Each structure stands twice: as structure tokens, then as C-alpha cells.
Amino acid sequence: MTTPATRVAIVTGGSGGIGRAVAERLGAEHFDVVVHYSGNADKARQTAGAVSAAGGRALTVKADVADESEVAALFDAAVAEFGGVDVVVHTAGIMPLGPIAEMDLADFDQVQRTNVRGTFVVDQAAARTIRDGGSIVNFSTSVTRLQQPGYGAYAASKGAVEALTLILARELRGRDVTVNAVAPGPTATPLFLDGKPQEVVDHLASLAPLERLGTPDDIAQSVLSLVDARWINGQVVYVNGGIA
């Protein structure tokens, strides 16, 4: 197998939070990075600038991850600009919260469309496009173990992500492509912090033996480890400071 001089990564949800941290870390490793975004072009451009400053090249592409035509265009853009795809890190997702008995079914449907269908569509494109020797990293959540009230729809979507991850790893037999999922615990991102009172944040920070929230950089470090590891495959890696 011939290894390209520069590896190419697509990072979905790269406009902020964990996605931006992952994109920057890959840029520091001299990857060419396609920064995907769904709505905030300015933040995506900021991430691209950070990737360039870190040492990589960057391209921003807008797409709805649950739309197969738009995701196909995202992958086509990576191939056209950088020559191929070696790594796909799928961080894009949404997290509407609410008790199961009270959640509007439209909200439930939206989280399943984005988190489950979106993962399926991105993984399908990745499986068709990624070069041999590559890596796919999906995103689950430690809530699948913590069973926190209010997270039913979100946890259900991420349980599906885990199943897709483990099966895809086995379907790509013979191509030297690893497929894993990262399952972060409470992490200080806008997605996690939005709408939570400070006392709730403080309580969640106290749960882990390390007595703090995770940071986007903590999660990005775990992603890079999985990208570089060639003997970790078909696994869900819990990155939560020991909370679960």
C-alpha cells in the first residue's frame, strides 16, 4: 500500500466545539482538512483559518449530513481539492433534551434524522470513498451508560450510532480501514452547556474522579489516537475522565 504524503480528513461539525478542536489537531499533524458545517459559515472559516495556522490546508463545505446528495458533494469536494479521503471524523449532531413522556415527536424525529440517518449517510459515503488504510471515527456519548433522565431521544440515537460503527468495522474487512466511535462524557462545549444552570454544570463536573468537565481538546486527543492506532477497530471508546 502506498501512503500519500499528506493525509486528507473530513471533519463534520467542524465549525465549533469538539469538531473545531479535532480539525485544529489534525491540522497540527499536517493533514489537509475539509471543515464541514451546516449553518455557521463564519465559524467554519475561523476553523479553517486555525487549521492553516496549525500547519494544514483547509476547505469549508456546507452540507446537511442527513441529505445523501449534499454529503456526496462534500466528499466530492474533498477528492477534487485534495485528491482523496483518508480520515472521516463525524462529530456533527444535535442534542434536544426532554423527558420521554413530554418530548414532542417532531423533536424526536429531528434528532434521529440528524444523529442516526446523518451517521448512516456519512458512513456510507466514507465507506465508498475512503482510501485503504484510512480511519472513520463516529461520535456516541457516555449517556448511553449514565442513563440520565431527559436524554432519552439523544441516547437512543447514539445507541444506533454505536451499532452502525461496530457493523461497518466488520463490513470493511480487507481494506485496512479502522472504524471506531468516541463516547465523550460531560464536555464544556456550547452544545452541552446551553440551557444548563450553573449548579447542574458544577454537579456534572464533580461526578468524574478527575473532578472537572472534559474539554474539546481532551476529546480531540482521543480522536487523533484512534486515527493513528492501527490495532483498535470496531470499538466504542469512552472518553469521560472515569465518570462511567
Side-chain angles (χ1 to χ4, degrees):
M1 181 184 70
T2 301
T3 302
T6 300
R7 289 183 288 175
V8 180
I10 294 175
V11 179
T12 69
S15 60
I18 291 171
R20 173 167 177 162
V22 169
E24 287 188 43
R25 183 65 66 93
L26 291 170
E29 296 295 320
H30 304 292
F31 275 77
D32 294 333
V33 182
V34 178
V35 178
H36 157 269
Y37 69 100
S38 62
N40 199 319
D42 287 340
K43 285 190 175 181
R45 284 192 288 267
Q46 291 170 15
T47 299
V51 169
S52 298
R57 296 186 298 169
L59 172 71
T60 64
V61 179
K62 181 178 181 179
D64 173 358
V65 292
D67 185 304
E68 63 270 32
S69 297
E70 294 188 16
V71 169
L74 167 67
F75 278 76
D76 287 347
V79 172
E81 183 73 15
F82 297 128
V85 178
D86 302 287
V87 171
V88 176
V89 183
H90 180 48
T91 79
I94 60 173
M95 190 172 63
L97 302 180
I100 293 170
E102 300 173 12
M103 176 167 275
D104 190 299
L105 286 178
D107 293 334
F108 177 85
D109 289 345
Q110 184 60 41
V111 73
Q112 306 313 314
R113 181 183 185 276
T114 300
N115 294 359
V116 181
R117 179 184 169 93
T119 299
F120 192 96
V121 170
V122 170
D123 280 4
Q124 186 177 72
R128 293 171 174 173
T129 308
I130 200 164
R131 291 188 278 218
D132 290 357
S135 296
I136 299 169
V137 181
N138 290 323
F139 266 68
S140 181
T141 173
S142 290
V143 174
T144 56
R145 285 187 174 182
L146 296 173
Q147 295 98 40
Q148 291 168 285
Y151 285 79
Y154 180 68
S157 75
K158 293 302 187 177
V161 168
E162 292 185 9
L164 290 170
T165 299
L166 304 187
I167 290 170
L168 182 59
R170 286 144 182 87
E171 290 181 345
L172 294 182
R173 173 185 290 272
R175 292 182 52 189
D176 191 30
V177 173
T178 63
V179 188
N180 296 290
V182 170
T187 305
T189 66
L191 179 67
F192 173 78
L193 296 172
D194 183 41
K196 290 185 174 67
Q198 187 59 46
E199 59 268 22
V200 172
V201 173
D202 292 342
H203 169 69
L204 292 170
S206 73
L207 294 179
L210 297 179
E211 298 184 314
R212 66 174 177 85
L213 294 177
T215 68
D217 284 340
D218 290 327
I219 312 306
Q221 181 177 353
S222 71
V223 170
L224 187 62
S225 296
L226 288 176
V227 166
D228 287 337
R230 303 311 305 166
W231 198 234
I232 303 175
N233 187 32
Q235 304 298 316
V236 179
V237 179
Y238 289 85
V239 185
N240 55 36
I243 194 171

